[in-house]
Amino acid sequence: MKKFINNVDDLLEDSLQGFVKAHSDIIQLNEQPHFIQRNDPTPSGKVALISGGGSGHEPLHTGFVGKGMLDAACPGQVFTSPTPDQMMLAAESVNNEGGVLFIVKNYAGDVMNFEIASEMLDCPCETVLIDDDVSLPETHSTGRRGVAGTLIIEKIVGAAAENGMNLTECKALGNRVNKVTASMGVALNCCTVPALGKPTFELDNDKIEMGVGIHGERGHDTIDLINATQIVEIIANAIHDDLNPKKGQKALLHINGLGATPLMELYLIYNLAVQYWEDRGIEICRSLVGNYTTSLDMTGCSITLTLLDDEMIELWDAPVNTANLRWGS
Amino acid sequence: MKKFINNVDDLLEDSLQGFVKAHSDIIQLNEQPHFIQRNDPTPSGKVALISGGGSGHEPLHTGFVGKGMLDAACPGQVFTSPTPDQMMLAAESVNNEGGVLFIVKNYAGDVMNFEIASEMLDCPCETVLIDDDVSLPETHSTGRRGVAGTLIIEKIVGAAAENGMNLTECKALGNRVNKVTASMGVALNCCTVPALGKPTFELDNDKIEMGVGIHGERGHDTIDLINATQIVEIIANAIHDDLNPKKGQKALLHINGLGATPLMELYLIYNLAVQYWEDRGIEICRSLVGNYTTSLDMTGCSITLTLLDDEMIELWDAPVNTANLRWGS
């Protein structure tokens, strides 16, 4: 295994130390337990948004802490849930009379630990569960997974909270955006988890893996290598069937790199996906292309579509100032 | 070779079409010949900044076209210089009485083609040649290469041009920033050029390549795998010896991913590099960490240090609104 590390056990700590030094204008790191929070205190009465999950998906979630998005993020070890004490202390630290909204990707460990934290908290606390991954059926034993659509919910609800939306409304909005968000991923090659030291699965040079998640697990199908148009068609069909949008519907199209895919290829995928949906009368009016929800050094990408109404468009466009998503004033 | 493409020959065109669709609020694409330019015309009298080079380094340069940075960028095929007609037509399109400044990375093909364009242009035209790569000696037959420091010159001179600095002064500023900028790269694994279909060189599982450029060429040394602290020390020593900064000097530290390196590892490298220079009395007051000057899917990174004066800090902080670098109002 070749990686830029000193000790596998110190990777998260060493990386967080670098992250906080690079972005000390926006965020700070709480030690023991670890969480990243905004420098500027949560305004009184504003709902405090907190997310978290295993590391290895950077910039998700730590890179999205800041004005207009998350108030705090709790990083676990690589591909490992953070612990309830991280979430509780983060919540106690950033709650300022507006209550706390947890944004949780649907994985058993994350769900359990956020639940424990929310039961032990004294303040009002609600949870939005993200399950945008259409590669697993909704009838799957643990339900669908939360993947790259998560940041879209974080951005839209983050803007709403900044505007003064209350906890109940923020939760409802989060659920509403999650319902109209669908994603699916494909891998050309798997990632190497540092503690394991080798790829979590192997793919021959003429095979690709459809329907992968973000933790180095296998997808639902290993298929022969096909071209980009064919890949986009398989993924977009699954998303389109799930969301079933009407003609004239506006949408946000997010092409997410899983870690090792050149930007040139992500833009090529974006071009094909826009064509796919424009052919079906969908107006792609917002976009996001790049590495946002990664899976360490996995070669692959995911496509996410969110069906937008005017309120969501306004909230998506609202100013945001985080380490890895930044626009507006 | 597994990549998200349809035909190798169409990769650049397909990718540019996606890029322009994703960022049509900021930039537009000129076809035949290809160049990307800002939507809003260059203000009368403002120096027009143009860069370009082979593709495969995205977001450099197309991702840095927009207010506060480049007026246009000319993309060549993968790792291949753009042609003089691209540069000439881009210059004629964006020049608006302020003259044109070419920002050129020091590679024989780029230098020759930008020279031809500049000789054939009717308007005032100057060139800043970037050669920040300290892994080659200045006495090398073609001089040092231009690598990840390029975007720092583009950002600082871009802000100055926006403020009304004239052509002669912009060129002098560009040369001045180039002089105080030094970079060096390391690869853990090489990249696969699409037209070749396999890595341009092979590295054993226990070897890394020091002093790599951004075109899949070998570096100056293949060495045994060492840990991150040792890697940072070798690179930082070379940069420090080149720039020879005084104690108390302020600096910008840029950790650049070459394509396939997780953000966690880049922040770990950042942390070590900050420590290295703080131990030597250098104040790292600005930072940039992420994939900015890539080499397709190369696993590796580069470290760049720019010694800053107050003018440069102000220009670095000035608003910028491009696809891949965006801050301020």
Side-chain angles (χ1 to χ4, degrees):
Chain A
M1 175 183 69
K2 292 194 279 190
K3 288 185 183 286
F4 294 114
I5 53 174
N6 285 328
N7 302 300
V8 168
D9 292 343
D10 298 335
L11 169 58
L12 176 60
E13 172 70 25
D14 293 348
S15 177
L16 284 173
Q17 293 296 341
F19 180 76
V20 75
K21 281 180 191 165
H23 304 292
S24 59
D25 53 329
I26 301 175
I27 51 90
Q28 54 193 273
L29 173 65
N30 185 81
E31 314 253 7
Q32 300 181 321
H34 279 142
F35 58 87
I36 297 284
Q37 71 178 99
R38 292 195 209 181
N39 282 340
D40 52 323
T42 309
S44 176
K46 187 188 99 65
V47 174
L49 262 65
I50 300 177
S51 192
S55 294
H57 308 302
E58 289 70 24
L60 188 84
H61 300 273
T62 49
F64 305 137
V65 175
K67 195 168 164 62
M69 219 158 159
L70 299 176
D71 292 83
C74 306
Q77 292 293 327
V78 171
F79 295 176
T80 304
S81 174
T83 51
D85 62 321
Q86 289 176 268
M87 301 145 188
M88 277 187 61
L89 283 158
E92 285 166 3
S93 181
V94 298
N95 176 44
N96 189 8
E97 302 185 5
V100 168
L101 185 66
F102 287 148
I103 299 183
V104 183
K105 301 193 300 301
N106 188 30
Y107 297 99
D110 289 2
V111 170
M112 184 178 71
N113 287 353
F114 272 103
E115 254 176 31
I116 293 171
S118 109
E119 281 165 14
M120 293 178 74
L121 271 175
D122 280 334
C123 64
C125 177
E126 297 285 354
T127 296
V128 173
L129 198 64
I130 310 299
D131 63 350
D132 56 314
D133 184 356
V134 299
S135 65
L136 288 182
E138 284 184 272
T139 53
H140 187 268
S141 60
T142 54
R144 302 181 351 178
R145 299 172 292 207
V147 288
T150 310
L151 85 84
I152 297 169
I153 289 93
E154 291 177 354
K155 171 67 185 82
I156 289 177
V157 180
E162 214 73 54
N163 288 349
M165 186 179 269
N166 72 32
L167 182 59
T168 310
E169 293 165 338
C170 279
K171 178 189 164 98
L173 175 64
N175 284 333
R176 191 155 64 84
V177 182
N178 179 58
K179 277 267 182 217
V180 293
T181 297
S183 304
M184 184 170 154
V186 54
L188 305 186
N189 280 308
C190 192
C191 56
T192 296
V193 178
L196 187 64
K198 58 178 189 176
T200 47
F201 63 86
E202 296 282 352
L203 283 171
D204 289 342
N205 280 334
D206 58 349
K207 298 288 180 191
I208 65 175
E209 190 79 8
M210 298 301 295
V212 293
I214 54 174
H215 296 97
E217 66 272 50
R218 278 207 174 264
H220 54 64
D221 269 318
T222 306
I223 65 171
D224 288 340
L225 179 62
I226 50 180
N227 71 28
T229 297
Q230 294 165 319
I231 290 173
V232 168
E233 191 156 308
I234 292 174
I235 295 178
N237 278 340
I239 291 171
H240 198 80
D241 287 352
D242 182 77
L243 294 177
N244 197 21
K246 292 203 177 79
K247 278 191 181 176
Q249 172 69 52
K250 290 181 179 172
L252 161 65
L253 175 59
H254 173 31
I255 308 299
N256 173 56
L258 289 171
T261 306
L263 210 46
M264 278 190 94
E265 296 174 40
L266 298 181
Y267 279 114
L268 180 148
I269 294 284
Y270 178 80
N271 187 45
L272 294 169
V274 168
Q275 280 169 15
Y276 175 95
W277 273 296
E278 285 186 351
D279 287 349
R280 284 155 184 80
I282 309 303
E283 182 193 342
I284 303 298
C285 69
R286 294 294 182 277
S287 70
L288 188 68
V289 182
N291 295 299
Y292 291 96
T293 302
T294 60
S295 182
L296 293 168
D297 55 350
M298 178 172 272
T299 309
C301 73
S302 62
I303 300 178
T304 298
L305 194 76
T306 297
L307 308 184
L308 297 171
D309 60 26
D310 290 344
E311 181 189 16
M312 294 178 200
I313 292 173
E314 197 174 312
L315 293 168
W316 178 259
D317 290 345
V320 59
N321 187 29
T322 69
N324 292 93
L325 210 63
R326 193 182 295 191
W327 57 69
S329 56
Chain B
M1 176 183 70
K2 292 194 280 189
K3 286 184 182 289
F4 295 114
I5 54 174
N6 284 327
N7 302 300
V8 168
D9 293 343
D10 298 336
L11 168 57
L12 175 60
E13 172 69 25
D14 293 348
S15 178
L16 284 173
Q17 293 296 340
F19 180 76
V20 75
K21 281 180 190 164
H23 304 291
S24 59
D25 54 329
I26 301 175
I27 51 89
Q28 54 192 274
L29 173 65
N30 186 81
E31 314 253 6
Q32 298 182 324
H34 280 141
F35 59 87
I36 297 284
Q37 69 179 102
R38 291 195 209 180
N39 283 341
D40 53 323
T42 310
S44 176
K46 187 189 100 65
V47 174
L49 261 66
I50 300 177
S51 192
S55 295
H57 309 302
E58 289 70 23
L60 187 84
H61 300 273
T62 48
F64 305 136
V65 175
K67 196 168 163 63
M69 217 159 160
L70 298 176
D71 291 83
C74 305
Q77 293 292 328
V78 172
F79 295 175
T80 304
S81 174
T83 51
D85 62 320
Q86 289 177 269
M87 300 146 188
M88 278 186 60
L89 283 157
E92 285 165 4
S93 181
V94 298
N95 176 43
N96 189 7
E97 302 185 6
V100 168
L101 185 67
F102 287 148
I103 299 182
V104 182
K105 301 192 299 303
N106 188 30
Y107 298 100
D110 288 3
V111 171
M112 185 179 71
N113 287 353
F114 272 102
E115 253 176 31
I116 293 171
S118 110
E119 280 164 15
M120 295 178 74
L121 272 175
D122 279 336
C123 65
C125 177
E126 296 285 355
T127 296
V128 173
L129 198 64
I130 311 298
D131 62 350
D132 55 314
D133 184 356
V134 299
S135 64
L136 288 181
E138 283 184 272
T139 54
H140 187 267
S141 61
T142 55
R144 300 180 354 177
R145 300 171 293 206
V147 289
T150 310
L151 84 83
I152 297 168
I153 288 93
E154 291 177 355
K155 170 67 185 83
I156 289 177
V157 180
E162 214 74 55
N163 288 350
M165 187 178 271
N166 72 30
L167 183 57
T168 310
E169 293 165 338
C170 280
K171 178 189 164 97
L173 175 66
N175 285 333
R176 190 155 64 87
V177 182
N178 179 57
K179 277 266 184 221
V180 293
T181 297
S183 304
M184 186 170 153
V186 54
L188 305 187
N189 280 307
C190 192
C191 57
T192 296
V193 179
L196 187 64
K198 59 177 187 178
T200 47
F201 62 86
E202 296 282 353
L203 283 172
D204 290 341
N205 280 334
D206 58 349
K207 298 288 179 190
I208 64 176
E209 190 78 8
M210 297 301 296
V212 293
I214 55 174
H215 296 97
E217 67 273 49
R218 277 206 174 264
H220 55 63
D221 268 318
T222 306
I223 64 170
D224 288 340
L225 178 62
I226 50 180
N227 71 27
T229 297
Q230 293 165 319
I231 290 173
V232 168
E233 191 156 306
I234 292 174
I235 296 180
N237 277 340
I239 291 171
H240 198 80
D241 287 352
D242 183 77
L243 294 176
N244 197 20
K246 293 204 178 77
K247 279 192 180 173
Q249 173 68 52
K250 290 181 179 173
L252 161 65
L253 176 59
H254 172 32
I255 307 299
N256 173 57
L258 289 170
T261 306
L263 210 46
M264 277 190 95
E265 296 174 41
L266 298 181
Y267 279 114
L268 180 148
I269 294 283
Y270 179 80
N271 187 46
L272 295 170
V274 168
Q275 280 169 15
Y276 175 95
W277 273 296
E278 285 186 351
D279 287 348
R280 283 154 185 81
I282 309 304
E283 183 193 342
I284 303 299
C285 68
R286 293 296 182 274
S287 70
L288 189 68
V289 182
N291 294 298
Y292 290 97
T293 301
T294 60
S295 181
L296 294 168
D297 55 351
M298 179 173 271
T299 309
C301 73
S302 62
I303 299 178
T304 298
L305 193 76
T306 297
L307 308 184
L308 296 171
D309 60 26
D310 290 345
E311 180 189 14
M312 295 179 200
I313 292 174
E314 197 175 310
L315 294 168
W316 177 260
D317 290 346
V320 60
N321 186 28
T322 69
N324 292 94
L325 211 62
R326 192 183 295 190
W327 57 70
S329 56

